[in-house]
Every structure is written in C-alpha cells, then in structure tokens.
Amino acid sequence: MENAVSVSQLVKNFVLKKREGMRWTESEVKAVDGITLSIEKGQSVAFIGPNGAGKSTTIKMLTGILHPTSGEASVLGCVPWKERTRLAKRIGVVFGQRSQLWYHLPPRDTFELLSKIYEIKQDVFKSRRDMLIERFQLSEFLDTPVRKLSLGQRMRAEVACSLLHGPEVIFLDEPTIGLDVIARQELRDLISEWNRENGVTVFLTSHDAGDIQHVARRVIVINHGRVVLDDRVSRVRRQYLREKVLSVKYADTPESISLDGVKTLKESGHAFKFEVDTLAVPIEKVMSEIMRIGSVVDITIEDPPLEEVIAHIYSAPPTEFGDDAPDDEPDENESKSS
Amino acid sequence: MSKYFYIALTSIRSRLAYLGELGSKTIFLFVVLYIFLCLWKVTYAETNQSSLGGLSLKQMLWYLVVTESIIMSLPTIATLVDQDVRTGALAMQLVRPMSYPLNMLAQTSGERVLSFALNFLVGSIIALIFVGPLDFNLSGIAMFLLLIPLSFALDFTIYFLIGLAAFWLEDTTGLTLIYSRMTMILGGMLIPLELFPDGWQQILRVLPFSAIVYGPARVFVTGDLQVFLSVLIQQIVAILVFAFVIRIVYNLALRRVFSHGG
Amino acid sequence: MNWLTSYTNLASAYIKINFKSLLAYRGAFISQMVAMFINDFVWIAFWCLFFTRFPVVKGWGVNDVITLWAIAASGFGLAHMIMGNALALPGIIMRGELDSWLLYPRAVLPHLLLGKSSASSWGDFLFGIVVYAIFVKPDLPHFSLFMALICSVAVLFVGFSVFTGSLAFFMGSAESVSVQLRIAMITFSTYPSPIFQGFVKILLFTLLPAMFVSHLTVSALRNMSMLDALYSFGGALGVLLAGIIMFYVGLRRYESGNLMEMRG
C-alpha cells in the first residue's frame, strides 16, 4: 500500500541561548534526533511521548511550519517545507490549544470563511458541511457563539473545521487536552470512526496513554527526539499498559488483600495505593475484593503516567521490535475491556 | 496620616519595576518636543516676535516639558475605582480601618509623582539640548513645587468622581476619555491660555482644567507671583468643591452598597 | 489576474466576518468608535485654536492641516480596519501564533493581515471623511482624489506596520520598539510638513516615511497635482515592498526555529 507519510532520519536542532553573567552561551538542543517512520494511507497512528519529547516539533515539520536541520520527509508526495501551500489543501491540522473558530461568532460563520480560504466549490462545501454537522452532531449549537460552547462542543466543531476541505491526512496535536472523560471519549470515537469510514490517515499526538488505546491501531512512542517503540496498540497494551493504579480510602482498617497481580504500592493509615496487573487478574475481581475487605470511602482508578510507561519500555525492551508488524491482522484485544 | 504616606511609598516602589516601560514612553516625549520646537520656531520667526503670549521660544518649550509631563504621568484612577465598584472590592475596603478615597489618593499619587519626575527629568534633558537652560528663579521653583501636588490632587478628585459614577453608569471609559481630552485642550497642554481667543481666556481661568495643567507650567517658566496666587486660589477652591461633591456622592453610593449589597 | 480575484474574494470574506465579529459586541464597538472621534477631534480643535492666532504657518493654512488630519486618520483607519493584524504582528510572531497561519493554503502575509479588524480604526476612518466633508467642503474632483489618497496612505501604514512589526523576527523586545516607531511615524505625519528641515526632512522621506502622508498628499490636493499623488503612491508602494521583504526574510528565521530561544 502507498505511504501517506514517510520520514527518514529527520533531525531538528534548536540553538539555545543562555545567559551566564554577562556572557551568552549557545548550546544545541536536539528536539528531534533522527526519526524514521512511514505511515500507510488510511492508518491511524498515535504519536505519544512525554512533554518535550519532540512530538510537536515533528508535527510542525510534517506540516511545513518548521524546516528540519537534516533528513527527509514526504507527506502525500510533497516535501512539506518546500510545498507548504500545496500540501495545506490536502491535510487537516488540529491544535488542541489553539482554535481556528471565531470566538464571538457561531461555528457556522467559521465554516463559511474556511470555504473561502480553501476555495471549496459551494455545492461541495454545502454537502460536506451538512455531513459533518450530522456526524459530529453540531446542529444544536451551530448558531451559538463559540464563547458559549462547552469545551467538548468546541473541540468537536474544531475537528469538523479541519475536515471541511476533505483532507487525506489529519494531524491532531493533543486534541483531548482539558476535556472531561465523556467529551474525551466522544471525540476519540468520532476520530476513529472518521478514520475507518472515510479512509483518512490519522496522526495523533498525545501525552495521555488513554488516547492510544481508543483511537489508534499503531502507536509510536518517542522520547528525547527518538522513536523508542513502534508497534501495534494491542501488543503495547499487553506489554506496557496492563497496569492500573487504584487509590482506595477506607473508613477503618481493612483486612489485608491477597490477590495475584495486585501489588500494594503505598499504605498510610486507611489509605492504600494498589497496582493491578489487568492481564493477571480482571479489574472486576479486584474491585469486589477491595469492597469485601472493608468499607470504602473513596476510590479512583488511573492509568500509570506515560513517563512510567516509557521507563518500563526502557527497562523491558519489546520482544519483537520494529516495522515488521503489519496492521492487517485483527486486533484481538479490541473487544476485551481492560 | 503616616499610613497613607506609607501606601504612597509602597506604590512608588512597585512602580520602579516598570522603569523600562516608562523609559520607552520618553521616545514619544522626544518626538513631541522636537516637533513643537520646529512648529514654534517657525511661528516665532514668521510673526517676527520674540515673545508670544508673554513667553519666549525657550520658555515655550520648557512650558511644554511641564504640561506634557503632567499629562503623561496620569495614573488610571477612574479605571481602578470603576473596577473596585464593579467587582465589589470597594465594599470590601470599607471594613478596613482606613478611608477608601484617601487610600486611593495615596496609591495613585505615589505612582504619579514617580512617573512625573521621570518624564520631567527626561523632558528637561531634551529641552536643555534643544534650547538650553531656563532662567530659573528659586521662588518660581518653590511656587511650582507647591502647585504640582495640588494639581495632582485636583485631578484625582475629578477622576475619582468619574470612577464612582460606575455605581450608576454601565461604562465610565467614555467619561474618562472626554474629561482627559478636555484637560489636554482646555487645560492648555499645547498652547498656553494667553494664546487662546480673548473671549475664552476669562472662562478657562475659572475652570479646573487650567489649574491642573497651565497653572503649574506657567509658574514654572515665568515665576509670576500674580499667576501663582490666582492658580493657588483656583486649585484650593476647586479641590474643596470636588471633595465636597465626592463626600455627597460617596455617601450616596455607600447607602446603595448597604441597601443593595453592592 | 486569477490571483487577484482569489485574494479579493478572500479579503471580502474576511471583511464580512470581521465586521460581524465586531457587531457581536455592538456597544463596545460603537463606544470605541466614538472614543476615536473624540480623541481625533481634540487635534482638530487644537489646530483651529492655533490658526486663529497664527493664520499661516509656512504657507499652510487651517484647511491644509485639517485635510492632513483627515487623510492621515482615514488612511490609518482604512489600513487597520481591513488589515488589523498589522498592528498585532510583533505579538503574533513572538507568541508563536504564526504557526496557525502557516497551515492554510494561502500566502501567509496577506492572509494573516486580513485576520483581524481593529475596532477603533473604524472610528478613525469615518472621522477623517466626516471632518474633510464638513470643514473643507470639497468639490467632487477633490473628494475623489482625497479618497484615492486615503488608499495610498493606507498602503503606506500597512507597509510600515509590517516593516516595524517584522522586527520581532530579529529582536526580543520588538513589541515596544515597533509601537514606539509607529507612534513616532504617526506623530510626525500629522504636523505641517514645511516645519521640518534638513536632516530630519530626509529621515521623514526614508526611515520614518511621514512625508508621504503629510507633504505629498496635501500638495496633491491643494494643486490637484496628479504628479504629487503619483509620488505619494510610489512612496507607499516602496514602503509596502520594504515591509514585505522584511517579513519574508524574517519568516525564514521563524521557519528554521531560530526564534525558539526567545519564546522559551
């Protein structure tokens, strides 16, 4: 299959100027340090890593905003930093922290303007807009000024904006940032649905481990500007994302818990922190055991922070590493809950 | 009294952090003084006179240094009061053991004195370069130093009143703008009162604007005792009148706070 | 030609949406316009007072100065009601907001400039036209030339704003520097030009191109001189060109990421 994105040995160095006393010293920072990857058309890829790992810098180079220090890249057959405007017609970009919606006006006006910016033919524009309105359920707030919308509604409109000109590849930079659990899930579903049904290639960055499991089929983890893992989501989940962290507060001292796959991380008074290996023991079973041993006042379940996952990857390298894992075999873990 | 002095000092100290910002404003001062130097030079030459409205070219430029410094040092009194009214901060202030108006006066005066001093310093250096030193007399400077604080106090009372209008008006920025522009034009920021049409001068000498801008500047450049006395009286009367109005309006406003809960 | 229609359409789409956006806060929009009216009027009042005392300054009468104010205000207004982002350029560059503009299939500079309308500029624009019509009472040819000169001055102001704003590509504290330069330029361009002589006059024809706003436009209108009008247009285009070059040279630095150290 043809590649939508292919990157080879991409490097981006920044010169950092620091002042020490009266002198300025220059030092080079490698934001992206030799990334090589290729993404087939229609794939959905999560590009994750902690803050400052080089995710945004890579996206900026792939969309033509930044020129690389060295290396090559091709997006839909264009070299992004050389053919930026030509490429811009064929890709869509969503920055989670930057809006293209007009704050004081309803989303409808922004759509209208975008049709002029991208020079979309009126009939094409209208039919595509109406389809997006239906799919993203925008009709209820299409004529409400953006400043009155909830963040979830805004992000839905935001993503719809970036799809209006029918891009073949869509880059999403931290699209779920700041969203609550439900809005986050809605947006993930919409993105993966769009990917499946319209064949749009999705390139999503996030520092939230949850985004990986729900949107993408393939995950690329980067840290310090390098790819540390490139694999199918299903395998990554089995190997690195099987742990959940449970914080429990009891009314009084509970009985001790003894269950395979549950580790007590911290204990102070009536509060406990457990780490659960969801492959060894279903979370449901752990929950009922926790309820059984004492009277629960408060409980939260979290994914381990991405930094920990990456530390895990370093300490336990993947068994089969590399690009040899095609995406055509079914994702056997898709339906199982974690 | 000493606590208000302390407030003023603190506000000066916090303003010192913004010296850079104040510094960049001086470029503007330079441009304005240069342009008016050119304009007045031409005007003196074309009218063939060495004195216009009783001022020589040199005095005219120094006059402008003082008026511009007064206008440019204006703190945002009305906006502060307006915000305190709207956010309810004014009601909160009432619990404190100090007078809100005096607290405001101290706070903004500290800022204004510093800003005035800086603008005046820079303006003086520019004027020294352009036209050389003024023939000062010490009594003129002494009179000027007496008028300046009263000028600021008078300006404060009016802006404070405008700020209080926030109790009744939806927006006070319009009033603030109109008053500030009237101070500029009717206060004689660019042309001294003597050069206004004859009919206007009598009225302008009674209005408070000239007591804020024209008065101190004129006394500074000429050291005229007659002008000093009349401006002093004008300032004191105006301050008393406005202080009295503030008292009435402030009490009305407080009644509103207590009956409506702000 | 294709390019021209395409960008004319884009401009009209932006003017429409900007106007709509301003009307979303009708009250604030109108009060900003009124504020500009009052602000500008102070200067007309000053000149009226000045000229009652001294009727002629180096050949300039009160009508000349009012004409000058009208052209400068309307030109500045027209420039920034359509291309309001020209004023915000240093901030946009320094906060890294150019990124969003680089993602559209449009030439960055014109598209970016169209992105915002300055509310108070609408006040400036209307003020100039009203003042010119009421005080100077022009006939049709004068009024037509006046409108043409407004466009020339608008081009010049956009060019100058882009030029000074693009300094942000090269230096960290460009925001205040570019504001100061702009204020200096506007201030110089609103006084009778003959009072400036010598070195400063050269400066005002070059680095602070105020003479193209004040000197050439007024003499063009006074004598109905098409030649002076052409010079004024030429100057405006020159400034615009300088601004464009400055911007795109700076943009290269931006694209290479050399600004990162300033943005942290």
Side-chain angles (χ1 to χ4, degrees):
Chain A
M1 214 195 253
E2 212 183 324
N3 280 336
V5 177
S6 58
V7 175
S8 151
Q9 283 305 317
L10 201 62
V11 172
K12 181 71 207 175
N13 297 336
F14 292 118
V15 178
L16 249 176
K17 283 187 191 152
K18 263 209 194 107
R19 220 168 100 158
E20 284 169 17
M22 295 301 291
R23 273 221 327 268
W24 287 88
T25 52
E26 288 190 4
S27 59
E28 239 182 14
V29 175
K30 290 190 166 154
V32 172
D33 190 12
I35 285 184
T36 300
L37 54 89
S38 56
I39 299 165
E40 287 164 13
K41 275 193 177 155
Q43 228 180 13
S44 68
V45 175
F47 197 61
I48 66 163
N51 282 326
K55 288 169 296 177
S56 290
T57 308
T58 307
I59 280 215
K60 280 181 187 175
M61 287 191 281
L62 293 182
T63 51
I65 294 173
L66 268 182
H67 295 203
T69 308
S70 66
E72 283 161 31
S74 150
V75 177
L76 298 169
C78 300
V79 177
W81 49 91
K82 285 187 184 146
E83 300 157 275
R84 187 181 58 221
T85 35
R86 226 181 64 177
L87 181 63
K89 285 206 172 201
R90 298 171 62 194
I91 61 171
V93 184
V94 177
F95 284 118
Q97 284 155 312
R98 216 169 275 160
S99 176
Q100 52 174 342
L101 292 164
W102 285 61
Y103 192 63
H104 298 304
L105 296 177
R108 185 189 291 280
D109 289 319
T110 304
F111 288 159
E112 189 78 33
L113 180 70
L114 284 168
S115 80
K116 298 284 174 2
I117 295 173
Y118 284 93
E119 298 183 290
I120 309 169
K121 284 204 185 75
Q122 277 303 300
D123 49 334
V124 176
F125 161 63
K126 283 200 177 108
S127 71
R128 204 177 280 148
R129 180 193 62 192
D130 293 342
M131 179 178 64
L132 284 164
I133 289 170
E134 195 211 308
R135 288 273 284 277
F136 282 69
Q137 293 163 23
L138 308 177
S139 53
E140 47 167 330
F141 55 84
L142 194 66
D143 293 300
T144 312
V146 171
R147 64 171 188 278
K148 291 183 182 158
L149 304 185
S150 72
L151 194 56
Q153 290 173 325
R154 251 166 67 184
M155 278 320 292
R156 253 149 62 199
E158 203 73 61
V159 175
C161 274
S162 67
L163 295 172
L164 198 64
H165 57 288
E168 295 155 61
V169 180
I170 172 165
F171 294 90
L172 301 125
D173 194 13
E174 307 273 2
T176 59
I177 210 160
L179 294 185
D180 62 63
V181 181
I182 295 171
R184 190 175 284 218
Q185 193 52 45
E186 271 177 359
L187 196 68
R188 286 166 178 163
D189 289 345
L190 277 170
I191 294 168
S192 57
E193 189 186 306
W194 198 266
N195 163 250
R196 251 180 289 124
E197 291 174 16
N198 299 51
V200 172
T201 312
V202 172
F203 191 94
L204 172 124
T205 76
S206 178
H207 62 264
D208 176 358
D211 281 347
I212 320 162
Q213 324 192 19
H214 296 96
V215 179
R217 310 251 287 169
R218 173 178 165 197
V219 58
I220 299 170
V221 181
I222 71 163
N223 197 28
H224 301 307
R226 286 174 169 276
V227 176
V228 293
L229 181 89
D230 182 348
D231 212 335
R232 272 173 298 134
V233 166
S234 54
R235 187 144 46 198
V236 171
R237 187 192 297 161
R238 266 203 313 276
Q239 271 192 290
Y240 304 110
L241 288 172
R242 46 203 246 191
E243 273 96 15
K244 293 265 175 191
V245 176
L246 272 79
S247 309
V248 190
K249 217 165 117 189
Y250 285 101
D252 47 6
T253 316
E255 299 168 32
S256 63
I257 195 165
S258 62
L259 211 60
D260 277 347
V262 179
K263 243 190 337 194
T264 308
L265 293 178
K266 226 160 85 186
E267 182 180 345
S268 68
H270 300 158
F272 291 81
K273 204 172 212 175
F274 302 116
E275 190 182 74
V276 179
D277 182 345
T278 51
L279 279 191
V281 54
I283 198 103
E284 206 183 339
K285 201 167 159 196
V286 180
M287 292 290 286
S288 56
E289 181 68 10
I290 283 174
M291 305 291 229
R292 195 188 60 76
I293 59 174
S295 153
V296 173
V297 181
D298 194 10
I299 186 164
T300 56
I301 308 178
E302 285 163 308
D303 289 313
L306 207 55
E307 285 74 8
E308 237 164 74
V309 177
I310 288 172
H312 193 164
I313 293 171
Y314 280 129
S315 63
T319 40
E320 303 156 59
F321 181 61
D323 292 322
D324 60 325
D327 201 38
D328 46 14
E329 70 179 80
D331 217 340
E332 66 269 35
N333 259 18
E334 198 83 80
S335 54
K336 230 188 270 175
S337 82
S338 51
Chain B
M1 208 55 217
S2 68
K3 68 183 163 197
Y4 298 113
F5 189 67
Y6 180 75
I7 294 170
L9 268 185
T10 313
S11 117
I12 288 184
R13 222 173 295 142
S14 72
R15 267 334 265 190
L16 279 173
Y18 297 97
L19 271 183
E21 183 194 326
L22 286 168
S24 72
K25 268 192 196 168
T26 54
I27 300 178
F28 175 68
L29 194 57
F30 180 87
V31 170
V32 167
L33 288 177
Y34 177 77
I35 288 175
F36 272 85
L37 174 70
C38 295
L39 183 63
W40 285 122
K41 244 187 201 163
V42 168
T43 313
Y44 277 82
E46 290 202 339
T47 51
N48 248 333
Q49 304 215 2
S50 60
S51 152
L52 290 174
L55 300 181
S56 66
L57 175 61
K58 189 186 277 183
Q59 286 174 320
M60 193 63 98
L61 203 73
W62 279 95
Y63 173 88
L64 204 64
V65 170
V66 180
T67 58
E68 284 287 349
S69 300
I70 292 174
I71 295 290
M72 283 173 67
S73 65
L74 179 73
T76 53
I77 303 161
T79 321
L80 287 175
V81 178
D82 179 294
Q83 277 166 3
D84 281 351
V85 170
R86 282 179 216 287
T87 59
L90 192 145
M92 296 295 292
Q93 294 269 2
L94 296 178
V95 237
R96 294 203 195 164
M98 56 169 93
S99 139
Y100 176 74
L102 285 180
N103 178 18
M104 229 3 157
L105 175 64
Q107 199 183 321
T108 55
S109 297
E111 187 184 329
R112 184 160 201 176
V113 167
L114 178 72
S115 172
F116 174 79
L118 267 171
N119 283 317
F120 185 67
L121 183 74
V122 176
S124 299
I125 295 170
I126 298 169
L128 272 178
I129 298 167
F130 285 164
V131 291
L134 197 61
D135 306 319
F136 295 108
N137 56 38
L138 277 178
S139 63
I141 295 179
M143 291 188 276
F144 165 71
L145 288 178
L146 194 64
L147 292 184
I148 274 291
L150 289 172
S151 148
F152 292 167
L154 173 56
D155 212 14
F156 171 84
T157 57
I158 300 172
Y159 277 112
F160 189 81
L161 262 181
I162 293 175
L164 281 186
F167 275 108
W168 295 275
L169 296 179
E170 216 172 279
D171 183 43
T172 58
T173 49
L175 273 180
T176 311
L177 185 85
I178 291 173
Y179 169 69
S180 74
R181 301 301 128 145
M182 282 174 83
T183 320
M184 286 183 187
I185 197 86
L186 301 179
M189 175 179 84
L190 297 170
I191 15 180
L193 252 51
E194 284 79 6
L195 294 180
F196 276 68
D198 296 327
W200 293 40
Q201 292 186 28
Q202 296 312 316
I203 309 164
L204 293 183
R205 280 181 199 284
V206 183
L207 294 176
F209 309 109
S210 63
I212 295 166
V213 186
Y214 161 83
R218 176 83 196 189
V219 168
F220 179 76
V221 293
T222 59
D224 189 329
L225 187 67
Q226 207 62 41
V227 179
F228 167 72
L229 286 176
S230 73
V231 171
L232 187 65
I233 293 166
Q234 191 190 356
Q235 285 183 335
I236 291 172
V237 172
I239 289 176
L240 288 177
V241 169
F242 281 107
F244 181 67
V245 178
I246 285 181
R247 207 184 166 79
I248 295 172
V249 174
Y250 192 63
N251 285 337
L252 272 176
L254 289 195
R255 215 173 299 158
R256 237 177 109 91
V257 172
F258 290 125
S259 57
H260 298 289
Chain C
M1 212 56 214
N2 229 339
W3 191 90
L4 198 64
T5 7
S6 164
Y7 277 82
T8 312
N9 286 339
L10 185 69
S12 78
Y14 266 103
I15 292 171
K16 230 189 281 169
I17 198 169
N18 271 317
F19 189 60
K20 234 176 165 176
S21 183
L22 287 174
L23 283 187
Y25 285 102
R26 200 165 309 226
F29 179 39
I30 291 171
S31 67
Q32 287 203 53
M33 288 211 299
V34 173
M36 266 305 142
F37 255 78
I38 296 170
N39 189 51
D40 293 350
F41 189 77
V42 167
W43 290 98
I44 298 298
F46 161 71
W47 285 116
C48 287
L49 282 170
F50 188 92
F51 279 99
T52 15
R53 198 44 90 152
F54 315 105
V56 180
V57 173
K58 284 239 173 167
W60 277 47
V62 68
N63 266 4
D64 294 315
V65 172
I66 289 180
T67 303
L68 167 61
W69 251 93
I71 291 178
S74 282
F76 184 86
L78 182 65
H80 301 108
M81 60 195 257
I82 296 177
M83 299 191 159
N85 263 344
L87 297 173
L89 194 56
I92 290 173
I93 295 166
M94 288 165 75
R95 283 189 296 271
E97 285 167 20
L98 268 188
D99 286 5
S100 329
W101 297 100
L102 289 168
L103 293 171
Y104 293 108
R106 290 288 189 170
V108 188
L109 184 59
H111 187 203
L112 154 78
L113 292 178
L114 288 168
K116 203 181 149 198
S117 173
S118 145
S120 58
S121 291
W122 292 74
D124 279 325
F125 177 68
L126 293 176
F127 176 84
I129 292 176
V130 169
V131 160
Y132 187 64
I134 292 178
F135 280 80
V136 184
K137 301 187 190 69
D139 54 17
L140 192 63
H142 277 88
F143 190 74
S144 317
L145 182 58
F146 173 80
M147 293 306 281
L149 288 168
I150 286 179
C151 298
S152 153
V153 168
V155 168
L156 187 134
F157 275 125
V158 167
F160 191 72
S161 293
V162 169
F163 187 87
T164 54
S166 298
L167 289 176
F169 284 120
F170 305 94
M171 49 199 274
S173 56
E175 202 147 15
S176 71
V177 172
S178 96
V179 170
Q180 291 301 326
L181 280 173
R182 214 157 52 210
I183 291 178
M185 148 83 175
I186 293 167
T187 312
F188 271 114
S189 58
T190 47
Y191 288 83
S193 55
I195 66 172
F196 305 116
Q197 293 300 331
F199 169 72
V200 172
K201 191 171 179 178
I202 299 171
L203 187 75
L204 295 183
F205 266 112
T206 50
L207 276 180
L208 286 175
M211 284 294 184
F212 296 98
V213 181
S214 58
H215 183 69
L216 289 167
T217 54
V218 170
S219 69
L221 267 176
R222 189 194 292 162
N223 313 321
M224 281 309 269
S225 155
M226 291 307 130
L227 194 63
D228 279 348
L230 273 179
Y231 283 144
S232 163
F233 265 108
L237 288 177
V239 173
L240 182 66
L241 191 68
I244 291 173
I245 292 172
M246 187 81 166
F247 178 84
Y248 280 101
V249 170
L251 186 64
R252 254 188 245 160
R253 267 176 70 87
Y254 186 92
E255 288 167 332
S256 70
N258 279 350
L259 288 171
M260 286 302 185
E261 82 267 18
M262 300 201 287
R263 282 188 263 136

